[in-house]
Amino acid sequence: MVQSRTVGKSEFSVQINGMATKSPEHQHPAIVLGIETSCDETAAAVIRLDKAGRGEILSNIIRSQWEEHEQFGGVVPEIAARAHVECLDEIIALALETAGLDFQDLNAIAATAGPGLIGGLLVGLTTAKSIAFAHNLDFVTVNHLEAHALTVGLTDNQTPPYMLLLVSGGHTQIVLVRDFGSYVRLGTTIDDALGEAFDKTAKLLDLGFPGGPAVEQHARLGNPNRFDFPRPLRNRREAHFSFAGLKTAVRRAAEKLQPIADEDIANLCASFENAICDVVADRLTRAHEIAKVEHGVDQDIPLVAAGGVARNRKLREALKETANRLGCNLVVPPPELCTDNAAMIAWAGAQQYARGDTSDLDFSARARWPLDEASQAVYGSGKHGAKA
Ligand code: KG4
Ligand code: ZN
């Protein structure tokens, strides 16, 4: 599909789901400011894209809202939006100051336009539009999932094609990244996201928020084989995930242990992580097969991981084993670039900018914005609805 769009400085044609036509104005090197406000991190970063297409992080500022949400055991959308409003200007100023730059030094400004919590998205997007307008900068709208998917280009110079495991608080997917802008969803979750399963497990064990790091910390001292938790959907034909039953199994086991000792908590966390690692390894193996048989993919494309849960050390070890078994390279960004950050937004924005793929200032935020627009909703128990 070819669509004409008017942008800040020029008009050109851009091909959706493929390489965009390059506008002469949008050449490397480029300096791009990225803004991320889709969930509970307020972040701004500046990156430089050099002539060879490599990225350098000039600044990367993140303010997490954990303290605001901790007492509720999860992210409260209204509180998140307000917290973004309160500090975004300061975070942007700090990102520029750290990079030693001013607005006039930028080529473009990129902001997360979705998917995510609509209030937060509006804060980031409106701020970016205002800056773009005031300083006559090109404006780029970024899909948050695409930014996670492309992070390995910034950190490891890894270009598509590759198979991506995206595991965060809101999403759990296996995606075939064929090219920039060309994604095929191979698997998704039918209920909870993996990060959500960590967060809920932490909540029921009273370990605090966010749950992932807390579960990981307790698991280090535990016995991963103490509890034989279910491995949902293992050996199924599709490469989908389900975590609701696993979380319930942890709750039942914890209820039987009351009053619960520190050692019990460590064993529950370690056994939970162990089950997760088995499930992920099994589902990736299945997705790898689907990619080969149904999508004609060459056997040795790399395995890439992204999203907050990819920080987890046990999971990273399991991914290494899986990649070795499948005969592919494993590429995982450093932990601080797995969780939400604005460097990945600036990087994805710079890729789009370099292809001349910029947006109008009337671009609307999208609470739901699947990477693979053609993928069908997958229905699970019905309790959590369909996930794309
Ligand atoms: O990518 P991210 O920062 O935000 C979303 O886009 O959702 O991911 C946040 C999720 C949370 O659910 C958090 O508990 C989880 O990543 N997480 C972890 C770890 N660090 C963060 N899960 C397991 N182990 C960790 N070390
Ligand atoms: Zn994320």
Side-chain angles (χ1 to χ4, degrees):
M1 182 170 94
V2 176
Q3 180 182 301
S4 181
R5 298 194 207 172
T6 311
V7 287
K9 293 172 182 165
S10 58
E11 178 152 326
F12 56 89
S13 286
V14 57
Q15 194 168 357
I16 306 296
N17 287 334
M19 294 302 281
T21 314
K22 220 177 204 177
S23 155
E25 285 183 63
H26 300 156
Q27 304 289 346
H28 310 134
I31 297 182
V32 179
L33 169 70
I35 294 178
E36 159 60 33
T37 55
S38 67
C39 192
D40 58 342
E41 259 91 32
T42 314
V46 181
I47 70 123
R48 184 177 180 279
L49 180 69
D50 73 14
K51 278 193 181 143
R54 276 188 296 265
E56 183 192 352
I57 300 176
L58 303 183
S59 65
N60 188 22
I61 312 293
I62 305 175
R63 181 190 176 271
S64 292
Q65 303 174 357
W66 296 346
E67 282 168 15
E68 281 94 330
H69 301 289
E70 191 169 15
Q71 59 173 308
F72 304 102
V75 179
V76 182
E78 287 75 14
I79 293 176
R82 206 170 313 142
H84 289 308
V85 172
E86 279 165 11
C87 70
L88 182 56
D89 288 352
E90 210 178 313
I91 299 284
I92 291 171
L94 195 54
L96 285 171
E97 189 191 317
T98 308
L101 299 172
D102 212 331
F103 286 122
Q104 286 77 16
D105 302 316
L106 302 172
N107 295 95
I109 178 157
T112 306
L117 301 173
I118 196 72
L121 291 172
L122 287 172
V123 174
L125 210 53
T126 310
T127 304
K129 286 175 181 178
S130 312
I131 295 171
F133 183 72
H135 298 278
N136 195 28
L137 299 172
D138 275 305
F139 172 57
V140 186
T141 47
V142 173
N143 178 316
H144 179 91
L145 304 179
E146 185 168 31
H148 274 304
L150 300 181
T151 301
V152 284
L154 174 63
T155 59
D156 295 84
N157 231 1
Q158 179 66 55
T159 50
Y162 47 80
M163 187 168 84
L164 167 77
L165 172 73
L166 175 54
V167 276
S168 69
H171 298 90
T172 295
Q173 295 184 358
I174 303 174
V175 178
L176 175 59
V177 178
R178 282 190 179 281
D179 201 347
F180 298 104
S182 176
Y183 307 99
V184 180
R185 192 197 66 196
L186 301 173
T188 187
T189 178
I190 63 170
D191 41 54
D192 293 342
L194 184 49
E196 202 178 350
F198 269 94
D199 292 337
K200 287 179 177 174
T201 298
K203 193 173 178 183
L204 73 91
L205 296 174
D206 215 7
L207 303 182
F209 177 83
V215 169
E216 173 166 35
Q217 203 187 340
H218 285 83
R220 275 186 203 150
L221 302 170
N223 173 0
N225 299 312
R226 169 65 185 80
F227 299 96
D228 186 18
F229 289 137
R231 271 66 170 158
L233 303 189
R234 192 163 61 170
N235 297 328
R236 287 286 184 92
R237 235 190 119 263
E238 305 83 13
H240 297 323
F241 295 90
S242 166
F243 297 110
L246 176 55
K247 176 195 65 196
T248 307
V250 177
R251 180 166 49 74
R252 293 224 175 97
E255 279 165 5
K256 282 190 200 147
L257 292 167
Q258 297 301 330
I260 200 160
D262 286 351
E263 192 187 341
D264 298 325
I265 290 178
N267 291 336
L268 286 167
C269 289
S271 302
F272 168 80
E273 262 190 0
N274 199 18
I276 295 286
C277 289
D278 279 357
V279 168
V280 170
D282 178 73
R283 306 290 65 210
L284 280 173
T285 306
R286 184 61 201 127
H288 188 251
E289 229 166 274
I290 294 173
K292 269 194 293 176
V293 175
E294 293 177 24
H295 301 282
V297 163
D298 205 300
Q299 187 137 347
D300 58 10
I301 61 168
L303 171 62
V304 164
V309 188
R311 289 183 77 118
N312 186 280
R313 227 189 284 168
K314 280 273 173 246
L315 183 67
R316 289 166 91 103
E317 283 168 19
L319 292 176
K320 187 81 207 139
E321 275 170 33
T322 308
N324 286 343
R325 188 165 39 75
L326 297 176
C328 43
N329 278 338
L330 174 70
V331 189
V332 190
E336 65 279 10
L337 292 177
C338 286
T339 28
D340 287 351
N341 63 86
M344 69 178 190
I345 305 301
W347 171 250
Q351 302 294 309
Q352 287 173 231
Y353 172 79
R355 300 199 302 267
D357 182 7
T358 55
S359 293
D360 286 339
L361 291 180
D362 63 356
F363 193 101
S364 300
R366 293 182 63 178
R368 189 179 168 279
W369 187 0
L371 262 186
D372 177 357
E373 301 262 17
S375 60
Q376 300 293 311
V378 174
Y379 289 89
S381 62
K383 194 175 152 207
H384 298 273
K387 299 251 169 152

